[in-house]
């Protein structure tokens, strides 16, 4: 059984409220942290090996150490709660059921970074959660854990919740900052990076909800103890939101030493494939990471078991591996059609492209149109190669990672399931009446 750090109290009734959270030991990590120096906290986070839980997996301590500290210029912590990646809903769970864990993590992190005004930028569709967060902020303030002179330390902190307008692109940190400043959420060219010029051109750290919540157990048990959980550079625990054709969709906390097979089939986690069907493929890190067929999902090309961690999932590179990403684990059974699935994702990325750069603006729409043609039985064999060519020209040629995120699912689908694309071209009449999976398995 995986060790629980973040969700250990999630089952306790009333844990959403300050009184219950406090009774369970809440805010003791903050009390401990406020007696430390900011440099000591930073060292604990570095030693813990915590990697950003939003998708990129960049070491959090290193990110914090890049924060510029010019004299007299305010700094900010911004929590990225714009969780919009298809298949990803673990931050929603944290904010909905454990809002004080996030607030406590923000208090520790803000103190470490020297931010007296910190923000939570939350996706517009999570319409009911800002009220939960704002209630928790008020409770924390009433108890002296936010506001002026917190616990007599002289440290002040205000936290504001900002609702987004529902654009996926605002999950990209610079687009988020633009939106937070009241502008259209277009990603910025980097450099300068937010650590130097972020919110209102001030040094800013943008971190995912889960990353900031993880700071609480790091301070609680120490960075060194946190680093002992997991394996290699995949330290600590990770929240996985599991969905698709499984018996037990939900949010699970894993310690990154379990195998993918165990995660899918064990009753502790997904409970196996629904209706006893066969596993066809999986997207383990949210819709932006490459889809992997069952044989490469359960084992690497060397025959080693594939584990639920950053290194093992990526083993073999994009040709045979994938990425941990945001931890949005989407499972597809034997009945699913990869062309239809890829088309749905292409439509999503085309819709969410901000339109600033040509390869993304034009390429995502072009890929969607071709995929729609193939799915509807109107495709030609050369369309598959054209599709491959378009995704190659998008990847690496855009301002922000949305371009790559749109290209990778198409590339992986063609690489691993070219036969399905060809079946659609060769069987136009069947495409309209049957799903590839249902017709072929
Ligand atoms: Fe906008 Fe797409 Fe360019 Fe990102 S890659 S800046 S979403 S057009």
């Amino acid at each position: 059984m995986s060790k629980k750090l973040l969700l250990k109290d999630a089952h306790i009734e009333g844990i959403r409220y300050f009184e219950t959270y406090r009774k369970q030991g809440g805010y003791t990590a903050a009390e401990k942290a406020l007696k430390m120096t900011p440099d000591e906290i930073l060292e604990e986070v570095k030693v813990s090996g915590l990697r950003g839980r939003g998708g990129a997996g960049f070491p959090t301590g290193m990110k914090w150490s890049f924060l510029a500290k010019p004299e007299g210029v305010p700094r900010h912590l911004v929590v990225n709660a714009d969780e919009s990646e298809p298949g990803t809903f673990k931050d929603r769970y944290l904010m909905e059921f454990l809002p004080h864990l996030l607030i406590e993590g923000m208090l520790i992190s803000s103190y470490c970074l020297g931010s007296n005004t910190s923000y939570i930028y939350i996706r517009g569709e999570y319409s009911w959660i800002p009220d939960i967060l704002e209630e928790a902020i008020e409770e924390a303030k009433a108890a002296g854990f936010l506001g002026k002179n917190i616990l007599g330390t002289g440290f002040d902190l205000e936290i504001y919740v900002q609702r987004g307008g529902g654009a996926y692109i605002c999950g990209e940190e610079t687009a988020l900052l633009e939106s937070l400043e009241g502008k259209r959420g277009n990603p910025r060219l980097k450099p300068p990076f937010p650590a130097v010029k972020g919110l209102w051109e001030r040094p800013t750290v943008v971190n995912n909800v889960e990353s900031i919540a993880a700071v609480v157990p790091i301070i609680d048990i120490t960075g060194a103890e946190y680093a002992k959980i997991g394996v290699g550079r995949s330290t600590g625990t990770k929240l996985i939101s599991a969905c698709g054709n499984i018996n037990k969709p939900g949010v699970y906390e894993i310690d990154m030493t379990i195998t993918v097979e165990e995660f899918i089939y064990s009753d502790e986690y997904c409970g196996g494939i629904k209706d006893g069907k066969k596993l066809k493929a999986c997207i383990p890190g949210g819709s932006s990471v490459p889809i992997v067929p069952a044989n490469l999902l359960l084992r690497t090309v060397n025959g080693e078991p594939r584990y639920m961690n950053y290194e093992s999932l990526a083993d073999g590179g994009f040709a045979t591996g994938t990425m941990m990403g945001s931890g949005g684990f989407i499972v597809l059974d034997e009945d699913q059609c990869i062309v239809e699935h890829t088309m749905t994702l292409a439509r999503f990325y085309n819709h969410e492209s901000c339109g600033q750069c040509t390869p993304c603006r034009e390429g995502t729409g072009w890929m969607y149109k071709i995929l729609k043609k193939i799915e509807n039985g109107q495709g030609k064999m050369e369309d598959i190669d054209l599709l491959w060519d378009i995704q190659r020209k998008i990847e690496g040629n855009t301002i922000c990672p949305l371009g790559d995120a749109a290209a990778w699912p198409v590339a992986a689908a063609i690489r691993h399931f070219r036969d399905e694309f060809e079946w659609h071209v060769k069987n136009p009449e069947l495409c309209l009446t049957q799903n590839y999976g249902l017709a072929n398995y």
Side-chain angles (χ1 to χ4, degrees):
M1 181 177 279
S2 286
K3 191 171 176 64
K4 303 271 180 292
L5 295 177
L6 300 177
L7 303 187
K8 66 181 169 54
D9 295 331
H11 62 286
I12 293 172
E13 205 185 326
I15 196 69
R16 191 179 124 178
Y17 301 104
F18 179 84
E19 200 184 333
T20 311
Y21 182 76
R22 184 76 171 135
K23 268 191 201 144
Q24 294 302 315
Y27 288 97
T28 49
E31 288 171 318
K32 181 178 172 185
L34 290 172
K35 290 181 188 137
M36 297 162 69
T37 65
D39 282 347
E40 285 169 343
I41 296 173
L42 177 60
E43 191 55 27
E44 290 297 328
V45 176
K46 278 185 179 169
V47 168
S48 75
L50 175 69
R51 293 168 68 172
R53 303 302 199 217
F58 191 81
T60 304
M62 193 184 294
K63 187 174 196 176
W64 288 11
S65 67
F66 292 154
L67 187 69
K69 295 179 179 162
E71 196 67 34
V73 180
R75 305 188 280 274
H76 297 292
L77 167 69
V78 177
V79 170
N80 186 345
D82 193 63
E83 185 181 53
S84 314
E85 180 87 352
T88 311
F89 46 91
K90 44 100 185 169
D91 292 340
R92 182 183 79 188
Y93 188 90
L94 268 182
M95 292 187 286
E96 190 169 354
F97 297 103
L98 293 156
H100 280 288
L101 186 66
L102 175 61
I103 305 300
E104 185 177 5
M106 286 183 74
L107 169 55
I108 299 169
S109 308
S110 299
Y111 171 68
C112 174
L113 298 165
S115 166
N116 300 114
T117 313
S118 299
Y119 299 86
I120 303 170
Y121 182 96
I122 185 163
R123 71 177 292 204
E125 291 89 341
Y126 285 175
S127 57
W128 68 103
I129 296 180
D131 289 345
I132 295 172
L133 292 170
E134 277 165 355
E135 188 180 7
I137 289 168
E138 286 310 312
E139 285 184 320
K141 200 180 260 190
F145 286 98
L146 287 179
K148 295 255 175 249
N149 191 22
I150 296 167
L151 304 182
T153 57
F155 178 64
D156 305 335
L157 176 62
E158 295 292 340
I159 295 178
Y160 297 99
V161 181
Q162 176 63 46
R163 294 156 171 84
Y168 170 75
I169 192 57
C170 288
E172 195 280 334
E173 61 178 6
T174 59
L176 186 156
L177 295 175
E178 287 284 296
S179 177
L180 195 49
E181 289 179 5
K183 294 181 266 183
R184 182 189 161 106
N186 280 356
R188 298 173 182 169
L189 275 170
K190 294 189 258 190
F193 291 92
V196 178
K197 273 191 179 182
L199 190 62
W200 297 299
E201 302 206 344
R202 297 166 177 172
T204 304
V205 163
V206 183
N207 267 140
N208 169 260
V209 169
E210 186 189 343
S211 312
I212 293 299
V215 173
V216 176
I218 288 171
I219 295 302
D220 194 22
I221 64 173
T222 76
E225 286 302 311
Y226 185 89
K228 286 181 191 164
I229 303 164
V231 61
R233 290 177 57 234
S234 297
T235 61
T237 62
K238 174 84 189 85
L239 296 185
I240 305 288
S241 56
C243 61
N245 308 119
I246 48 173
N247 287 317
K248 290 171 60 194
V251 176
Y252 299 99
E253 184 169 13
I254 61 161
D255 66 13
M256 297 196 268
T257 59
I258 62 168
T259 64
V260 173
E261 190 163 4
E262 188 183 347
F263 184 70
I264 294 176
Y265 290 101
S266 152
D267 278 343
E268 194 186 337
Y269 306 107
C270 303
I273 308 298
K274 223 167 174 224
D275 302 325
K277 293 190 184 296
K278 279 193 274 181
L279 172 68
K280 180 174 189 175
C282 175
I283 305 167
S287 65
S288 302
V289 311
I291 189 169
V292 201
N295 61 326
L296 287 170
L297 180 69
L298 303 181
R299 303 211 160 261
T300 67
V301 272
N302 298 321
E304 296 290 317
R306 206 178 276 279
Y307 291 91
M308 293 284 291
N309 64 48
Y310 292 94
E311 288 74 30
S312 187
L313 284 172
D315 191 274
F318 286 168
T320 61
T322 178
M323 291 162 80
M324 175 67 106
S326 61
F329 198 88
I330 308 168
V331 178
L332 282 75
D333 73 18
E334 57 190 303
D335 289 348
Q336 305 310 314
C337 172
I338 299 296
V339 175
E340 184 186 8
H341 169 82
T342 312
M343 179 193 75
T344 306
L345 290 184
R347 182 174 57 203
F348 170 78
Y349 289 110
N350 177 228
H351 183 260
E352 298 299 335
S353 166
C354 83
Q356 277 194 105
C357 29
T358 311
C360 173
R361 184 186 62 239
E362 302 300 327
T364 53
W366 198 2
M367 289 197 300
Y368 170 53
K369 278 185 200 151
I370 295 172
L371 282 159
K372 198 169 158 192
K373 254 174 71 183
I374 298 174
E375 170 63 11
N376 289 335
Q378 296 153 350
K380 300 190 183 87
M381 280 300 172
E382 52 265 35
D383 285 335
I384 304 170
D385 296 325
L386 179 59
L387 209 45
W388 180 265
D389 195 43
I390 297 169
Q391 65 79 21
R392 287 288 303 271
K393 290 195 166 72
I394 298 174
E395 187 191 4
N397 291 317
T398 56
I399 294 173
C400 90
L402 189 142
D404 293 346
W408 291 341
V410 174
I414 297 176
R415 180 179 289 123
H416 298 304
F417 298 96
R418 193 178 173 103
D419 56 331
E420 289 205 24
F421 286 82
E422 292 181 357
W423 180 87
H424 280 73
V425 173
K426 288 179 197 158
N427 298 282
E429 68 296 340
L430 292 181
C431 295
L432 299 175
T433 53
Q434 292 195 43
N435 158 314
Y436 173 87
L438 291 170
N440 288 277
Y441 281 85

